[in-house]
Amino acid sequence: MSWQVAYALKSIHDVRGVTGAENIRGDAIKITAQSRPESVAVISDADFIDVTLAKGYHQQYPEMDFLCGYRKGTVWEGAAIKYLEGQKIGWGNSGTLTSAIQDDNVKTAAHKEFFFSDRLIRQLRSVTSIDREFDRIHSVTLADGRKLRIGMVMEYEPTAEAVRSLWDRFGAVDVVWNINPNGKPTQKAIEAGQELGCKVMKWEELKPLLKGR
């Protein structure tokens, strides 16, 4: 049994309402819960999940209801997200999986760290198109024709290093969006953004920008 499956089984057994969790084969586990249908989750140790890997897991485990990126820093390619959602397969980290079991939405769950932020953008009428390049990178076109590339960071108080790391890994962005609702960017992070040529902001600043105000 792989390390990530062993850890996942241990944590899932502690989830309220779960009556059983077992490794059925390879990286796949079957989960049973009170008043819930059985679900099958595949627990991946990959630090990057692209569409080829997502399709490979689905081919290997056609009964898969949820694909879990168990490593804390796992990055999801936008094409992989689109494929999984099109197949009605949930996706995200271990916290997303445990929440989905309790909420009975395993097949439709999306990464809980980015779900609400993604929805905020999609609800704006001023945003006419969205290309989700990665779980945390959105390229959007606005009604006035402007295009913005937005990168999300979850840290409570993003540092200059967090801003530079996002830029280095995913390329240039116009906005670094601090999506943690309780924190705010440090002054050093804001200055790092200015040096790189992007703005570091919270939703209160991003929303008017997307609306053209």
Side-chain angles (χ1 to χ4, degrees):
M1 184 185 302
S2 63
W3 70 269
Q4 74 272 14
V5 169
Y7 275 104
L9 287 173
K10 183 178 179 181
S11 62
I12 289 170
H13 273 119
D14 294 332
V15 174
R16 176 176 49 83
V18 168
T19 56
E22 60 179 310
N23 181 210
I24 50 178
R25 72 181 189 282
D27 293 328
I29 62 176
K30 181 173 68 176
I31 304 161
T32 55
Q34 294 174 352
S35 305
R36 302 282 192 272
E38 289 183 349
S39 56
V40 174
V42 173
I43 315 299
S44 173
D45 70 342
D47 56 13
F48 180 70
I49 297 179
D50 62 10
V51 67
T52 301
L53 185 58
K55 288 181 176 179
Y57 279 127
H58 194 200
Q59 183 176 14
Q60 186 176 359
Y61 306 103
E63 70 274 41
M64 177 173 70
D65 298 310
F66 187 94
L67 180 56
C68 178
Y70 208 75
R71 291 185 182 274
K72 183 178 180 181
T74 298
V75 172
W76 299 73
E77 182 190 43
I81 296 169
K82 184 176 181 179
Y83 172 79
L84 293 168
E85 292 182 341
Q87 298 295 319
K88 293 183 171 58
I89 296 170
W91 66 280
N93 60 2
S94 58
T96 308
L97 176 58
T98 54
S99 294
I101 294 167
Q102 294 175 311
D103 296 339
D104 193 21
N105 65 341
V106 172
K107 293 184 178 182
T108 58
H111 202 304
K112 65 186 300 181
E113 287 191 0
F114 305 106
F115 173 78
F116 291 106
S117 302
D118 175 71
R119 188 171 67 176
L120 283 174
I121 293 178
R122 294 182 188 277
Q123 287 177 338
L124 291 179
R125 293 183 180 179
S126 57
V127 178
T128 57
S129 71
I130 298 173
D131 175 16
R132 190 172 193 175
E133 299 177 36
F134 300 95
D135 50 8
R136 66 207 68 188
I137 303 290
H138 290 58
S139 288
V140 304
T141 302
L142 306 180
D144 61 9
R146 287 179 299 137
K147 297 180 184 295
L148 294 174
R149 193 164 186 258
I150 303 168
M152 303 176 187
V153 291
M154 186 62 187
E155 287 88 347
Y156 175 70
E157 289 187 339
T159 62
E161 179 59 28
V163 172
R164 294 191 182 102
S165 293
L166 181 82
W167 186 285
D168 290 344
R169 182 161 191 182
F170 298 101
V173 295
D174 300 294
V175 174
V176 175
W177 178 13
N178 179 203
I179 62 174
N180 189 311
N182 301 312
K184 62 179 182 179
T186 62
Q187 184 59 35
K188 293 291 186 182
I190 294 171
E191 292 171 359
Q194 291 171 344
E195 291 172 6
L196 291 168
C198 67
K199 298 179 179 179
V200 182
M201 58 181 63
K202 300 287 292 182
W203 176 245
E204 292 77 13
E205 301 163 281
L206 178 58
K207 185 177 180 180
L209 178 64
L210 294 176
K211 287 189 171 184
R213 295 176 183 170

